[in-house]
Amino acid sequence: MKKTLIALTLAGVTTFGASAVFAADVAVTFDPGVVAYGYTDGYWTRQHEWRTWEKPEHVDVYRKYPNAQYHEWVHTRDANQGWVEITR
């Protein structure tokens, strides 16, 4: 019984340690394909969600993306908050 308990405890520690290592390897990247319209203060996603730029380099990545619609003003300038319904 004692050996079984020790074996189960060690297996749990090993599993927890391995999962912690994998969790540390997760990298979140910016996907410019989710952006419908970009502004100096953030962007609208294609699902009509407003987000601010997490990093300044994300603005550059999006502006270089094919068919990017980036505007050099804040989204609140317009009455519609910068959202234009996409009709494609």
Side-chain angles (χ1 to χ4, degrees), residues 3-33:
K3 288 183 180 181
T4 304
L5 184 59
I6 291 172
L8 288 173
T9 302
L10 289 175
V13 169
T14 304
T15 302
F16 175 75
S19 65
V21 170
F22 288 120
D25 290 341
V26 174
V28 178
T29 59
F30 173 69
D31 178 9

PDB file of all heavy atoms in Angstrom, residues 3-33:
ATOM      1  N   LYS A   3       3.979   1.588  -1.004  1.00  0.00           N
ATOM      2  CA  LYS A   3       4.692   1.726  -2.271  1.00  0.00           C
ATOM      3  C   LYS A   3       3.763   2.272  -3.358  1.00  0.00           C
ATOM      4  O   LYS A   3       4.165   3.076  -4.188  1.00  0.00           O
ATOM      5  CB  LYS A   3       5.284   0.379  -2.703  1.00  0.00           C
ATOM      6  CG  LYS A   3       6.462  -0.059  -1.886  1.00  0.00           C
ATOM      7  CD  LYS A   3       7.035  -1.351  -2.415  1.00  0.00           C
ATOM      8  CE  LYS A   3       8.210  -1.782  -1.578  1.00  0.00           C
ATOM      9  NZ  LYS A   3       8.817  -3.007  -2.064  1.00  0.00           N
ATOM     10  N   THR A   4       2.537   1.831  -3.343  1.00  0.00           N
ATOM     11  CA  THR A   4       1.567   2.316  -4.324  1.00  0.00           C
ATOM     12  C   THR A   4       1.317   3.802  -4.134  1.00  0.00           C
ATOM     13  O   THR A   4       1.270   4.571  -5.102  1.00  0.00           O
ATOM     14  CB  THR A   4       0.239   1.547  -4.185  1.00  0.00           C
ATOM     15  OG1 THR A   4       0.497   0.159  -4.304  1.00  0.00           O
ATOM     16  CG2 THR A   4      -0.758   1.992  -5.233  1.00  0.00           C
ATOM     17  N   LEU A   5       1.172   4.240  -2.893  1.00  0.00           N
ATOM     18  CA  LEU A   5       0.948   5.650  -2.596  1.00  0.00           C
ATOM     19  C   LEU A   5       2.136   6.499  -3.041  1.00  0.00           C
ATOM     20  O   LEU A   5       1.962   7.551  -3.644  1.00  0.00           O
ATOM     21  CB  LEU A   5       0.684   5.837  -1.100  1.00  0.00           C
ATOM     22  CG  LEU A   5       0.344   7.244  -0.648  1.00  0.00           C
ATOM     23  CD1 LEU A   5      -0.898   7.747  -1.369  1.00  0.00           C
ATOM     24  CD2 LEU A   5       0.123   7.278   0.853  1.00  0.00           C
ATOM     25  N   ILE A   6       3.337   6.018  -2.781  1.00  0.00           N
ATOM     26  CA  ILE A   6       4.547   6.748  -3.205  1.00  0.00           C
ATOM     27  C   ILE A   6       4.614   6.810  -4.724  1.00  0.00           C
ATOM     28  O   ILE A   6       4.913   7.857  -5.300  1.00  0.00           O
ATOM     29  CB  ILE A   6       5.809   6.077  -2.609  1.00  0.00           C
ATOM     30  CG1 ILE A   6       5.836   6.291  -1.092  1.00  0.00           C
ATOM     31  CG2 ILE A   6       7.079   6.650  -3.255  1.00  0.00           C
ATOM     32  CD1 ILE A   6       6.924   5.514  -0.388  1.00  0.00           C
ATOM     33  N   ALA A   7       4.303   5.718  -5.404  1.00  0.00           N
ATOM     34  CA  ALA A   7       4.342   5.688  -6.871  1.00  0.00           C
ATOM     35  C   ALA A   7       3.320   6.658  -7.457  1.00  0.00           C
ATOM     36  O   ALA A   7       3.610   7.398  -8.407  1.00  0.00           O
ATOM     37  CB  ALA A   7       4.086   4.275  -7.378  1.00  0.00           C
ATOM     38  N   LEU A   8       2.119   6.689  -6.899  1.00  0.00           N
ATOM     39  CA  LEU A   8       1.090   7.607  -7.389  1.00  0.00           C
ATOM     40  C   LEU A   8       1.486   9.065  -7.142  1.00  0.00           C
ATOM     41  O   LEU A   8       1.255   9.928  -7.981  1.00  0.00           O
ATOM     42  CB  LEU A   8      -0.257   7.306  -6.725  1.00  0.00           C
ATOM     43  CG  LEU A   8      -0.939   6.020  -7.181  1.00  0.00           C
ATOM     44  CD1 LEU A   8      -2.175   5.751  -6.333  1.00  0.00           C
ATOM     45  CD2 LEU A   8      -1.303   6.102  -8.642  1.00  0.00           C
ATOM     46  N   THR A   9       2.089   9.329  -5.998  1.00  0.00           N
ATOM     47  CA  THR A   9       2.536  10.681  -5.681  1.00  0.00           C
ATOM     48  C   THR A   9       3.616  11.130  -6.658  1.00  0.00           C
ATOM     49  O   THR A   9       3.562  12.243  -7.200  1.00  0.00           O
ATOM     50  CB  THR A   9       3.068  10.754  -4.242  1.00  0.00           C
ATOM     51  OG1 THR A   9       2.031  10.341  -3.353  1.00  0.00           O
ATOM     52  CG2 THR A   9       3.497  12.167  -3.890  1.00  0.00           C
ATOM     53  N   LEU A  10       4.574  10.274  -6.928  1.00  0.00           N
ATOM     54  CA  LEU A  10       5.644  10.612  -7.871  1.00  0.00           C
ATOM     55  C   LEU A  10       5.102  10.798  -9.285  1.00  0.00           C
ATOM     56  O   LEU A  10       5.530  11.694 -10.006  1.00  0.00           O
ATOM     57  CB  LEU A  10       6.727   9.533  -7.854  1.00  0.00           C
ATOM     58  CG  LEU A  10       7.594   9.493  -6.596  1.00  0.00           C
ATOM     59  CD1 LEU A  10       8.548   8.308  -6.656  1.00  0.00           C
ATOM     60  CD2 LEU A  10       8.362  10.783  -6.421  1.00  0.00           C
ATOM     61  N   ALA A  11       4.145   9.983  -9.670  1.00  0.00           N
ATOM     62  CA  ALA A  11       3.554  10.122 -11.005  1.00  0.00           C
ATOM     63  C   ALA A  11       2.833  11.455 -11.116  1.00  0.00           C
ATOM     64  O   ALA A  11       2.914  12.143 -12.140  1.00  0.00           O
ATOM     65  CB  ALA A  11       2.593   8.971 -11.278  1.00  0.00           C
ATOM     66  N   GLY A  12       2.140  11.865 -10.074  1.00  0.00           N
ATOM     67  CA  GLY A  12       1.445  13.154 -10.087  1.00  0.00           C
ATOM     68  C   GLY A  12       2.407  14.313 -10.164  1.00  0.00           C
ATOM     69  O   GLY A  12       2.177  15.282 -10.896  1.00  0.00           O
ATOM     70  N   VAL A  13       3.514  14.247  -9.440  1.00  0.00           N
ATOM     71  CA  VAL A  13       4.517  15.308  -9.479  1.00  0.00           C
ATOM     72  C   VAL A  13       5.145  15.386 -10.864  1.00  0.00           C
ATOM     73  O   VAL A  13       5.339  16.464 -11.412  1.00  0.00           O
ATOM     74  CB  VAL A  13       5.591  15.080  -8.388  1.00  0.00           C
ATOM     75  CG1 VAL A  13       6.777  16.003  -8.580  1.00  0.00           C
ATOM     76  CG2 VAL A  13       4.984  15.275  -7.010  1.00  0.00           C
ATOM     77  N   THR A  14       5.438  14.251 -11.453  1.00  0.00           N
ATOM     78  CA  THR A  14       6.027  14.216 -12.783  1.00  0.00           C
ATOM     79  C   THR A  14       5.067  14.805 -13.810  1.00  0.00           C
ATOM     80  O   THR A  14       5.453  15.597 -14.662  1.00  0.00           O
ATOM     81  CB  THR A  14       6.404  12.770 -13.178  1.00  0.00           C
ATOM     82  OG1 THR A  14       7.259  12.240 -12.188  1.00  0.00           O
ATOM     83  CG2 THR A  14       7.068  12.724 -14.523  1.00  0.00           C
ATOM     84  N   THR A  15       3.799  14.445 -13.723  1.00  0.00           N
ATOM     85  CA  THR A  15       2.799  14.964 -14.657  1.00  0.00           C
ATOM     86  C   THR A  15       2.643  16.464 -14.494  1.00  0.00           C
ATOM     87  O   THR A  15       2.598  17.211 -15.465  1.00  0.00           O
ATOM     88  CB  THR A  15       1.437  14.269 -14.426  1.00  0.00           C
ATOM     89  OG1 THR A  15       1.620  12.874 -14.579  1.00  0.00           O
ATOM     90  CG2 THR A  15       0.397  14.772 -15.399  1.00  0.00           C
ATOM     91  N   PHE A  16       2.573  16.942 -13.269  1.00  0.00           N
ATOM     92  CA  PHE A  16       2.429  18.372 -13.020  1.00  0.00           C
ATOM     93  C   PHE A  16       3.649  19.124 -13.540  1.00  0.00           C
ATOM     94  O   PHE A  16       3.517  20.143 -14.195  1.00  0.00           O
ATOM     95  CB  PHE A  16       2.258  18.646 -11.519  1.00  0.00           C
ATOM     96  CG  PHE A  16       2.226  20.109 -11.210  1.00  0.00           C
ATOM     97  CD1 PHE A  16       1.103  20.862 -11.498  1.00  0.00           C
ATOM     98  CD2 PHE A  16       3.326  20.750 -10.655  1.00  0.00           C
ATOM     99  CE1 PHE A  16       1.073  22.224 -11.239  1.00  0.00           C
ATOM    100  CE2 PHE A  16       3.301  22.092 -10.397  1.00  0.00           C
ATOM    101  CZ  PHE A  16       2.173  22.839 -10.683  1.00  0.00           C
ATOM    102  N   GLY A  17       4.842  18.589 -13.292  1.00  0.00           N
ATOM    103  CA  GLY A  17       6.067  19.244 -13.757  1.00  0.00           C
ATOM    104  C   GLY A  17       6.123  19.328 -15.266  1.00  0.00           C
ATOM    105  O   GLY A  17       6.492  20.346 -15.836  1.00  0.00           O
ATOM    106  N   ALA A  18       5.719  18.284 -15.944  1.00  0.00           N
ATOM    107  CA  ALA A  18       5.732  18.282 -17.407  1.00  0.00           C
ATOM    108  C   ALA A  18       4.711  19.253 -17.968  1.00  0.00           C
ATOM    109  O   ALA A  18       4.980  19.970 -18.923  1.00  0.00           O
ATOM    110  CB  ALA A  18       5.468  16.872 -17.928  1.00  0.00           C
ATOM    111  N   SER A  19       3.528  19.322 -17.358  1.00  0.00           N
ATOM    112  CA  SER A  19       2.516  20.241 -17.876  1.00  0.00           C
ATOM    113  C   SER A  19       2.924  21.683 -17.657  1.00  0.00           C
ATOM    114  O   SER A  19       2.611  22.548 -18.458  1.00  0.00           O
ATOM    115  CB  SER A  19       1.157  19.954 -17.242  1.00  0.00           C
ATOM    116  OG  SER A  19       1.199  20.220 -15.858  1.00  0.00           O
ATOM    117  N   ALA A  20       3.633  21.973 -16.574  1.00  0.00           N
ATOM    118  CA  ALA A  20       4.091  23.334 -16.318  1.00  0.00           C
ATOM    119  C   ALA A  20       5.120  23.756 -17.359  1.00  0.00           C
ATOM    120  O   ALA A  20       5.124  24.904 -17.809  1.00  0.00           O
ATOM    121  CB  ALA A  20       4.683  23.437 -14.915  1.00  0.00           C
ATOM    122  N   VAL A  21       5.962  22.814 -17.774  1.00  0.00           N
ATOM    123  CA  VAL A  21       6.963  23.121 -18.801  1.00  0.00           C
ATOM    124  C   VAL A  21       6.274  23.423 -20.122  1.00  0.00           C
ATOM    125  O   VAL A  21       6.608  24.383 -20.811  1.00  0.00           O
ATOM    126  CB  VAL A  21       7.961  21.953 -18.963  1.00  0.00           C
ATOM    127  CG1 VAL A  21       8.837  22.155 -20.176  1.00  0.00           C
ATOM    128  CG2 VAL A  21       8.804  21.818 -17.709  1.00  0.00           C
ATOM    129  N   PHE A  22       5.280  22.628 -20.501  1.00  0.00           N
ATOM    130  CA  PHE A  22       4.574  22.864 -21.757  1.00  0.00           C
ATOM    131  C   PHE A  22       3.814  24.175 -21.720  1.00  0.00           C
ATOM    132  O   PHE A  22       3.745  24.883 -22.699  1.00  0.00           O
ATOM    133  CB  PHE A  22       3.626  21.697 -22.067  1.00  0.00           C
ATOM    134  CG  PHE A  22       4.339  20.450 -22.491  1.00  0.00           C
ATOM    135  CD1 PHE A  22       4.205  19.280 -21.778  1.00  0.00           C
ATOM    136  CD2 PHE A  22       5.159  20.457 -23.603  1.00  0.00           C
ATOM    137  CE1 PHE A  22       4.871  18.138 -22.171  1.00  0.00           C
ATOM    138  CE2 PHE A  22       5.827  19.320 -24.007  1.00  0.00           C
ATOM    139  CZ  PHE A  22       5.686  18.151 -23.281  1.00  0.00           C
ATOM    140  N   ALA A  23       3.248  24.516 -20.594  1.00  0.00           N
ATOM    141  CA  ALA A  23       2.509  25.778 -20.480  1.00  0.00           C
ATOM    142  C   ALA A  23       3.436  26.972 -20.670  1.00  0.00           C
ATOM    143  O   ALA A  23       3.051  27.983 -21.238  1.00  0.00           O
ATOM    144  CB  ALA A  23       1.817  25.859 -19.130  1.00  0.00           C
ATOM    145  N   ALA A  24       4.673  26.865 -20.227  1.00  0.00           N
ATOM    146  CA  ALA A  24       5.619  27.962 -20.369  1.00  0.00           C
ATOM    147  C   ALA A  24       6.047  28.154 -21.824  1.00  0.00           C
ATOM    148  O   ALA A  24       6.477  29.232 -22.203  1.00  0.00           O
ATOM    149  CB  ALA A  24       6.844  27.703 -19.500  1.00  0.00           C
ATOM    150  N   ASP A  25       5.889  27.125 -22.660  1.00  0.00           N
ATOM    151  CA  ASP A  25       6.303  27.202 -24.049  1.00  0.00           C
ATOM    152  C   ASP A  25       5.236  27.783 -24.973  1.00  0.00           C
ATOM    153  O   ASP A  25       5.454  27.924 -26.164  1.00  0.00           O
ATOM    154  CB  ASP A  25       6.700  25.804 -24.569  1.00  0.00           C
ATOM    155  CG  ASP A  25       7.995  25.316 -23.943  1.00  0.00           C
ATOM    156  OD1 ASP A  25       8.745  26.155 -23.429  1.00  0.00           O
ATOM    157  OD2 ASP A  25       8.236  24.096 -23.974  1.00  0.00           O
ATOM    158  N   VAL A  26       4.081  28.111 -24.449  1.00  0.00           N
ATOM    159  CA  VAL A  26       2.997  28.656 -25.263  1.00  0.00           C
ATOM    160  C   VAL A  26       3.343  30.085 -25.674  1.00  0.00           C
ATOM    161  O   VAL A  26       3.722  30.904 -24.861  1.00  0.00           O
ATOM    162  CB  VAL A  26       1.660  28.648 -24.484  1.00  0.00           C
ATOM    163  CG1 VAL A  26       0.571  29.353 -25.271  1.00  0.00           C
ATOM    164  CG2 VAL A  26       1.260  27.222 -24.159  1.00  0.00           C
ATOM    165  N   ALA A  27       3.212  30.366 -26.959  1.00  0.00           N
ATOM    166  CA  ALA A  27       3.495  31.709 -27.470  1.00  0.00           C
ATOM    167  C   ALA A  27       2.242  32.247 -28.153  1.00  0.00           C
ATOM    168  O   ALA A  27       1.633  31.572 -28.965  1.00  0.00           O
ATOM    169  CB  ALA A  27       4.651  31.664 -28.456  1.00  0.00           C
ATOM    170  N   VAL A  28       1.860  33.447 -27.783  1.00  0.00           N
ATOM    171  CA  VAL A  28       0.713  34.090 -28.405  1.00  0.00           C
ATOM    172  C   VAL A  28       1.241  35.039 -29.471  1.00  0.00           C
ATOM    173  O   VAL A  28       2.099  35.872 -29.204  1.00  0.00           O
ATOM    174  CB  VAL A  28      -0.115  34.865 -27.365  1.00  0.00           C
ATOM    175  CG1 VAL A  28      -1.275  35.581 -28.024  1.00  0.00           C
ATOM    176  CG2 VAL A  28      -0.593  33.927 -26.281  1.00  0.00           C
ATOM    177  N   THR A  29       0.740  34.889 -30.686  1.00  0.00           N
ATOM    178  CA  THR A  29       1.192  35.742 -31.777  1.00  0.00           C
ATOM    179  C   THR A  29       0.033  36.564 -32.307  1.00  0.00           C
ATOM    180  O   THR A  29      -1.131  36.225 -32.108  1.00  0.00           O
ATOM    181  CB  THR A  29       1.795  34.907 -32.924  1.00  0.00           C
ATOM    182  OG1 THR A  29       0.796  34.003 -33.384  1.00  0.00           O
ATOM    183  CG2 THR A  29       3.015  34.137 -32.466  1.00  0.00           C
ATOM    184  N   PHE A  30       0.353  37.625 -32.976  1.00  0.00           N
ATOM    185  CA  PHE A  30      -0.649  38.498 -33.561  1.00  0.00           C
ATOM    186  C   PHE A  30      -0.991  38.006 -34.957  1.00  0.00           C
ATOM    187  O   PHE A  30      -0.110  37.757 -35.764  1.00  0.00           O
ATOM    188  CB  PHE A  30      -0.101  39.926 -33.614  1.00  0.00           C
ATOM    189  CG  PHE A  30      -0.990  40.871 -34.354  1.00  0.00           C
ATOM    190  CD1 PHE A  30      -2.215  41.244 -33.838  1.00  0.00           C
ATOM    191  CD2 PHE A  30      -0.602  41.388 -35.575  1.00  0.00           C
ATOM    192  CE1 PHE A  30      -3.042  42.114 -34.525  1.00  0.00           C
ATOM    193  CE2 PHE A  30      -1.418  42.260 -36.274  1.00  0.00           C
ATOM    194  CZ  PHE A  30      -2.640  42.623 -35.744  1.00  0.00           C
ATOM    195  N   ASP A  31      -2.277  37.874 -35.249  1.00  0.00           N
ATOM    196  CA  ASP A  31      -2.746  37.436 -36.560  1.00  0.00           C
ATOM    197  C   ASP A  31      -3.409  38.620 -37.255  1.00  0.00           C
ATOM    198  O   ASP A  31      -4.537  38.986 -36.912  1.00  0.00           O
ATOM    199  CB  ASP A  31      -3.737  36.291 -36.409  1.00  0.00           C
ATOM    200  CG  ASP A  31      -4.300  35.813 -37.739  1.00  0.00           C
ATOM    201  OD1 ASP A  31      -3.799  36.242 -38.804  1.00  0.00           O
ATOM    202  OD2 ASP A  31      -5.251  35.015 -37.715  1.00  0.00           O
ATOM    203  N   PRO A  32      -2.756  39.240 -38.241  1.00  0.00           N
ATOM    204  CA  PRO A  32      -3.348  40.388 -38.913  1.00  0.00           C
ATOM    205  C   PRO A  32      -4.600  40.036 -39.707  1.00  0.00           C
ATOM    206  O   PRO A  32      -5.382  40.912 -40.055  1.00  0.00           O
ATOM    207  CB  PRO A  32      -2.232  40.888 -39.833  1.00  0.00           C
ATOM    208  CG  PRO A  32      -1.344  39.720 -40.029  1.00  0.00           C
ATOM    209  CD  PRO A  32      -1.438  38.906 -38.776  1.00  0.00           C
ATOM    210  N   GLY A  33      -4.830  38.765 -39.955  1.00  0.00           N
ATOM    211  CA  GLY A  33      -6.004  38.342 -40.704  1.00  0.00           C
ATOM    212  C   GLY A  33      -7.315  38.535 -39.961  1.00  0.00           C
ATOM    213  O   GLY A  33      -8.375  38.511 -40.566  1.00  0.00           O
TER     214      GLY A  33
END
